[in-house]
Amino acid sequence: MTEHPHHIPRERRLAEVLVGLADTLGGDFDMDAHLGRLAAACVELLDARAAGLLLAGPDGALRAASSGAVPELLPALDEEGPCLDCYVCAATIDVPDLARCDELWPRFAPRAREAGLHAAYAVPLRRGAEVIGALGVLRADPGEPPAGDVELARALADAAAVGVLQRRARREQELLAEQLQGALDSRVAVEQAKGVLAERWGVGVDEAFGALRRYARSHRLRVAELATGVVAGSFDTDRLRDDAT
């Protein structure tokens, strides 16, 4: 029988969550779901009514996610508020009373209070010196967070950052492997096409390749694309020979 999360001791539940946030190498990984799990874990494990976060993509574009009573705050997270300031400054932001932040955050602070949120803090999503986002914890009551909660939020943010970065590294490796395989496949097709043309025309492979390359250039085709057609028999090599003579 599976235990309900609320019936599991916080230390054990925290360990489970940290492992889950760091494990992002599965084939069915979904970044939005990953961010949602991080926000939900904050609401579950910390003195928080809601959580929001920002994540910078490899291109620098920010994406936002939230959990709890803040769907109306989501559009403002990447425009102003503790998460954005935390990300920009790469430092923890502590706001014991959002009632004092209307001038600093004229959109975020009033919306937060309307949602019943009166205090916040944010910690960077980072691995070493690399900051890739920020995690914001939103509380119902004004005042400082309970002892240890900020450290736990940092642990959750660090685990999530490790997961995101290792996922990105794996994706980069996959893309590189795909590019290398594509280059290899193209090279093989070209070599095969050179052999087909050389045998069919009774010429050397260098002459066959020259004809292949000239035709591709004059007709704005990729040599590998043309070579694939030659090998597959879908391209009329007489056209190529006529163009070469």
Side-chain angles (χ1 to χ4, degrees):
M1 180 177 178
T2 303
E3 293 181 84
H4 191 280
H6 295 297
H7 298 156
I8 301 174
R10 188 166 83 153
E11 293 77 9
R12 178 179 157 194
R13 180 60 182 151
L14 175 62
E16 293 176 349
V17 170
L18 290 175
V19 170
L21 290 173
D23 182 12
T24 58
L25 297 182
D28 58 348
F29 175 77
D30 180 89
M31 183 62 73
D32 291 331
H34 180 69
L35 300 180
R37 282 192 294 271
L38 171 59
C42 289
V43 175
E44 176 188 347
L45 296 170
L46 305 174
D47 177 26
R49 184 173 175 189
L53 59 96
L54 292 179
L55 178 67
D59 60 354
L62 293 173
R63 65 198 298 176
S66 67
S67 178
V70 289
E72 62 272 31
L73 292 182
L74 195 58
L77 283 177
D78 59 352
E79 296 179 5
E80 64 179 40
C83 283
L84 184 58
D85 284 10
C86 174
Y87 171 65
V88 171
C89 299
T92 299
I93 300 292
D94 185 14
V95 187
D97 190 355
L98 286 169
R100 301 180 180 181
C101 299
D102 285 2
E103 185 174 346
L104 178 63
W105 302 321
R107 291 188 62 203
F108 179 87
R111 289 188 183 188
R113 294 198 305 276
E114 289 172 6
L117 306 168
H118 297 279
Y121 60 91
V123 297
L125 283 170
R126 72 191 316 155
R127 186 177 187 184
E130 184 175 5
V131 177
I132 60 172
L135 167 65
V137 180
L138 301 156
R139 304 173 56 243
D141 299 319
E144 297 293 339
D149 269 23
V150 176
E151 287 72 19
L152 284 181
R154 288 198 189 102
L156 292 168
D158 288 347
V162 168
V164 169
L165 290 173
Q166 72 179 7
R167 182 66 187 186
R168 287 179 180 174
R170 176 173 177 174
R171 183 55 185 153
E172 289 174 1
Q173 292 173 350
E174 292 172 344
L175 289 174
L176 177 59
E178 291 171 3
Q179 291 169 355
L180 291 174
Q181 186 62 53
L184 177 59
D185 292 343
S186 296
R187 182 63 180 173
V188 169
V190 170
E191 292 299 321
Q192 290 176 335
K194 287 162 58 176
V196 168
L197 295 177
E199 181 180 2
R200 186 168 298 172
W201 295 346
V203 299
V205 291
D206 290 341
E207 183 177 343
F209 179 63
L212 194 70
R213 184 170 54 186
R214 286 191 298 273
Y215 188 93
R217 284 179 178 174
S218 64
H219 293 79
R220 296 184 179 180
L221 298 172
R222 292 175 58 246
V223 173
E225 178 184 354
L226 179 58
T228 300
V230 169
V231 173
S234 60
F235 179 81
D236 183 1
T237 56
D238 288 341
R239 291 168 51 198
L240 197 155
R241 183 66 182 271
D242 292 341
D243 192 75
T245 56

